[in-house]
């Protein structure tokens, strides 16, 4: 079962895929490339003034932020782990998903609230459908059934 959004072709085509809970969806590993680039910028700025050495806090914080962001799926529901907060959502509270333009995916709750789901993209929906045991529908499968 994929746990990284980097490979859209690795999602299973059938419901017989084996996985163990919890399933963790993380940000693509390419995001870590920004950490040495920011550190390089800090080193270049240190050539102008040594006061910029305090800027090394930025790449460290960026690394920790990228490492923390994830969505965890288990038998009971979803856990959205954001930069500063963690939200647990039981399956019974999820009414659907929202895909706003240029924003992260959001789980729409039955009470109308919306919760961001870090590291979940549109191409993760087939895998999310499998690990949620059909509670979150797969739009690709629905479109294929409609066209045939």
């Amino acid at each position: 079962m994929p746990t990284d959004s980097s490979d859209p072709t690795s999602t299973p085509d059938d419901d017989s895929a084996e996985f163990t809970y919890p399933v963790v969806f993380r940000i693509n590993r390419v995001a870590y490339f920004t950490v040495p680039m920011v550190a390089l910028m800090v080193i270049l700025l240190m050539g102008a003034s040594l006061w910029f050495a305090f800027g090394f806090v930025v790449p460290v914080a960026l690394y920790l932020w990228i490492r923390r962001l994830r969505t965890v799926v288990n038998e009971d529901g979803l856990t959205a782990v954001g930069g500063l907060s963690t939200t647990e959502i039981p399956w019974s509270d999820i009414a659907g998903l929202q895909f706003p333009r240029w924003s992260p995916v959001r789980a729409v709750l039955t009470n109308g609230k919306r919760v961001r789901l870090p590291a979940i993209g549109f191409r993760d929906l087939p895998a999310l459908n499998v690990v949620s045991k059909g509670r979150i529908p797969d739009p690709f499968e629905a479109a294929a059934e409609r066209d045939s």
Side-chain angles (χ1 to χ4, degrees):
M1 183 54 46
T3 59
D4 188 348
S5 300
S6 61
D7 188 9
T9 61
S10 66
T11 57
D13 291 334
D14 59 356
D15 291 337
S16 65
E18 293 185 23
F19 58 90
T20 57
Y21 286 114
V23 177
V24 180
F25 290 88
R26 294 188 178 274
I27 291 183
N28 193 328
R29 285 176 246 144
V30 175
Y32 286 106
F33 184 68
T34 59
V35 174
M37 293 297 107
V38 171
L40 180 65
M41 294 301 295
V42 170
I43 291 170
L44 291 174
L45 288 172
M46 282 176 48
S49 173
L50 287 179
W51 286 102
F52 285 110
F54 292 112
F56 276 113
V57 170
V58 175
V60 171
L62 181 62
Y63 171 80
L64 294 173
W65 180 68
I66 292 170
R67 184 166 163 74
R68 178 168 164 76
L69 291 179
R70 64 188 176 275
T71 298
V72 181
V73 181
N74 56 32
E75 299 94 352
D76 303 326
L78 298 172
T79 303
V81 181
L84 299 174
S85 66
T86 300
T87 307
E88 293 185 16
I89 310 165
W91 290 119
S92 60
D93 288 351
I94 298 176
L97 297 179
Q98 181 184 36
F99 294 88
R101 181 179 280 195
W102 310 115
S103 295
V105 176
R106 295 186 175 137
V108 180
L109 306 182
T110 54
N111 62 4
K113 289 177 58 178
R114 289 167 173 71
V115 178
R116 290 182 183 184
L117 298 178
I120 298 288
F122 193 74
R123 64 180 164 186
D124 295 321
L125 287 179
L128 194 57
N129 177 26
V130 171
V131 298
S132 70
K133 297 181 180 171
R135 293 179 184 109
I136 296 177
D138 180 7
F140 300 114
E141 184 178 312
E145 288 176 3
R146 186 182 64 224
D147 290 341
S148 58

